[in-house]
Amino acid sequence: MKVSSCVLSFWLVFALPSRALAQARPFPGPDVQQIYQRLLPQIEKIPAFDHHAHPGYADDPDVDAMAAPPNASEALRTRDDNPELAAAAKALFGYPYNDLSPEHAKWLLNKKNELKKQLAGPAYFNSILDKINIESSVANRAMMPGYLDSKRFPWVFFGDAFMWPFNNERETARNPDEGVYIPLQEKMLHRWMQQESVSKLPAGFGEYLKFITQVLEDNSKRGGIAIKFEVAYFRPTTFTDPSRTQAEEIYAHYAAGGVPSEKEYRTFQDFIFRYLVQEGGRLHLPIHIHTAIGIGDYFNLSQSNIMNLESVLRDPRYSSTTFVMIHGGYPLERQAIWLAAMKNVYLDTSFGELAQYPSAFKETLKMFLETFPDKITFGTDCFPYNQVLGAEESYWLGAQSSRTALAAALAEMISEGEISEPRALELAHAYLHDTAVKLYDGRVR
Ligand SMILES: [Zn+2]
């Protein structure tokens, strides 16, 4: 007898010795605040794994493979005058003022310098993680510095530069933002070449691919756990599926010089991107992709729409590659979470918790938790904005915002009769720590 899936799921629900939950309610009850107060201290005690962050000092150029373009617009909460940042300094360093005026900020700068002297080497940033109860934090950086403890700060390196090996005059001239970004991609590619003692681009395409693989393998040996792409900053994220012959012809034409047409360059890059995705699967290096709005006034929203990636994410050839959609597609989170229906696709929520206030981020998290709760991971996207507002403060704000929004989202789900309290705590552990850690085969904790 053919049983429709509707009937089947009906019987699954009613045959189980369920916790006798009635149908969920559309509003939380009057107990929601109490549940929140009960959950929050338990959620604060969960040691977290930060799946996306840029730890480091403000004067360290390796914190990212790119840099912020000048005069970029900032959304309200991410501006330097956000009073929550003074609260962060208070919580972390005992900052005695309520604002960050230049005279007051001097106190903070001195305090941090003092602590850095007391806590030499890796001890300083380890102490920051301890204060916000983060067990380990990804360091998505160009290169790793000596002052981060590799046991607590696993490295996620960048894969974009392999896509810009040719003359980039046209690419750099497209707008002022690309004028900042593309030369830094060239610099990154040269650093990979130096690392492998390659003095100039290999003459043959096969050798170029071999060079890419060598970098991935060496980075993995040096502690790299994943490959990050911020390609949405540099070009549209729609990837066609060119043949190796097509890419090879373009390489043969331009490796020694000459400016490729935009179409030729994109075709070549599409092939390289897919090559990296495949190698990421083979070498057990998950692929992290920036999927959200970005800094810089020329960041193109429609061309970086997370749905552009669907043809790559749902391609069965890449079923053994793990993808992490960094920033959860913000502000297209509702579409993004359905991409996580793929067994090998995960969403990281970093930046969402900084771009939005906790009241709005709670709604995002609740929607994620109600859809694929086992496919979302916590991240702060902390970054050293300047000497005063460092990675320290943004770590604190990101962790704090995520934990409060998580407690609020789960409290509503419990109060509305969607899940039980023990189940809510399981989901909290999964989101803050367990789901991400499982992706790295014991390489992180
Ligand atoms: Zn980031």
Side-chain angles (χ1 to χ4, degrees):
M1 187 180 69
K2 191 165 176 272
V3 181
S4 85
S5 61
C6 272
V7 172
L8 193 64
S9 49
F10 176 89
W11 282 110
L12 276 174
V13 169
F14 286 91
L16 283 170
S18 74
R19 283 183 283 266
L21 291 175
Q23 188 193 314
R25 294 184 296 268
F27 298 108
D31 58 349
V32 68
Q33 281 289 338
Q34 265 179 337
I35 302 172
Y36 172 78
Q37 296 300 345
R38 215 165 40 234
L39 286 181
L40 185 59
Q42 298 179 76
I43 283 174
E44 282 171 339
K45 281 195 198 92
I46 300 172
F49 179 84
D50 185 340
H51 206 178
H52 182 72
H54 306 274
Y57 297 125
D59 57 1
D60 177 347
D62 282 346
V63 159
D64 202 328
M66 55 171 245
N71 296 322
S73 307
E74 292 284 357
L76 181 65
R77 201 181 185 210
T78 52
R79 294 177 194 168
D80 288 355
D81 62 358
N82 177 358
E84 293 173 294
L85 294 168
K90 217 172 256 208
L92 288 171
F93 305 110
Y95 183 64
Y97 308 105
N98 293 321
D99 63 74
L100 285 156
S101 65
E103 334 59 281
H104 292 164
K106 265 186 221 145
W107 184 99
L108 186 55
L109 207 57
N110 289 338
K111 180 76 178 178
K112 285 185 190 173
N113 285 334
E114 214 176 277
L115 281 172
K116 279 172 213 163
K117 264 183 230 148
Q118 281 169 26
L119 303 165
Y124 177 78
F125 266 101
N126 280 354
S127 79
I128 301 295
L129 291 194
D130 291 341
K131 281 182 188 171
I132 49 181
N133 197 19
I134 292 183
E135 189 168 4
S136 318
S137 165
V138 155
N140 180 205
R141 297 177 43 104
M143 297 280 173
M144 286 299 279
Y147 65 81
L148 290 177
D149 176 355
S150 60
K151 282 190 226 65
R152 294 188 73 180
F153 292 91
W155 184 35
V156 170
F157 60 91
F158 288 92
D160 301 281
F162 302 114
M163 293 191 270
W164 274 268
F166 305 138
N167 182 320
N168 291 309
E169 266 170 45
R170 186 200 311 272
E171 301 285 296
T172 308
R174 239 177 324 125
N175 61 51
D177 289 6
E178 299 309 326
V180 174
Y181 302 151
I182 300 297
L184 289 170
Q185 292 309 307
E186 292 172 339
K187 183 179 160 197
M188 196 70 240
L189 182 62
H190 279 112
R191 290 177 82 174
W192 297 138
M193 286 165 67
Q194 260 170 3
Q195 177 177 304
E196 304 304 330
S197 309
V198 173
S199 57
K200 62 182 180 60
L201 280 185
F205 186 54
E207 287 166 82
Y208 185 64
L209 295 180
K210 227 183 262 170
F211 153 71
I212 294 176
T213 294
Q214 194 60 52
V215 174
L216 304 184
E217 286 176 354
D218 286 346
N219 287 354
S220 172
K221 277 184 212 136
R222 294 162 68 209
I225 59 161
I227 314 170
K228 163 79 183 301
F229 291 91
E230 42 197 5
V231 58
Y233 279 100
F234 319 131
R235 51 152 285 175
T237 52
T238 309
F239 294 97
T240 62
D241 194 4
S243 67
R244 181 181 162 128
T245 315
Q246 277 173 286
E248 191 157 17
E249 275 168 17
I250 298 165
Y251 187 87
H253 208 284
Y254 296 104
V259 183
S261 72
E262 186 171 277
K263 187 164 182 295
E264 286 170 319
Y265 219 150
R266 298 289 170 260
T267 302
F268 173 80
Q269 291 171 336
D270 293 353
F271 180 87
I272 297 293
F273 179 74
R274 286 173 182 270
Y275 178 77
L276 285 157
V277 162
Q278 203 126 41
E279 286 293 84
R282 190 177 68 81
L283 299 167
H284 301 285
L285 291 165
I287 301 290
H288 289 200
I289 309 176
H290 172 106
T291 58
I293 50 144
I295 50 166
D297 292 353
Y298 293 93
F299 186 89
N300 193 309
L301 280 169
S302 50
Q303 292 184 352
S304 63
N305 186 322
I306 187 169
M307 300 313 287
N308 293 347
L309 294 168
E310 190 158 24
S311 64
V312 173
L313 301 178
R314 294 200 203 270
D315 189 326
R317 285 174 295 173
Y318 311 135
S319 60
S320 55
T321 301
T322 299
F323 294 95
V324 184
M325 305 286 96
I326 301 292
H327 316 314
Y330 177 80
L332 300 174
E333 307 102 302
R334 191 170 281 280
Q335 286 96 319
I337 191 66
W338 285 97
L339 295 172
M342 289 298 292
K343 308 272 183 298
N344 54 330
V345 177
Y346 293 79
L347 249 56
D348 143 89
T349 64
S350 68
F351 179 66
E353 92 292 0
L354 292 177
Q356 305 175 92
Y357 284 93
S359 56
F361 184 57
K362 173 198 72 179
E363 299 300 330
T364 300
L365 264 185
K366 190 178 175 194
M367 188 263 295
F368 283 172
L369 289 162
E370 288 173 341
T371 316
F372 292 111
D374 40 356
K375 302 302 284 295
I376 57 169
T377 67
F378 155 78
T380 60
D381 202 19
C382 85
F383 194 89
Y385 291 94
N386 56 49
Q387 296 285 357
V388 178
L389 300 172
E392 303 93 319
E393 284 81 5
S394 53
Y395 258 135
W396 183 88
L397 191 61
Q400 214 43 29
S401 301
S402 299
R403 288 184 199 268
T404 50
L406 176 65
L410 292 170
E412 285 189 9
M413 290 167 73
I414 295 166
S415 182
E416 288 163 10
E418 296 177 12
I419 53 171
S420 69
E421 214 161 312
R423 176 71 179 138
L425 286 167
E426 277 170 25
L427 296 184
H429 277 273
Y431 166 65
L432 288 172
H433 182 272
D434 302 351
T435 301
V437 167
K438 271 184 214 147
L439 302 184
Y440 301 98
D441 307 324
R443 298 187 73 189
V444 302
R445 61 197 167 105

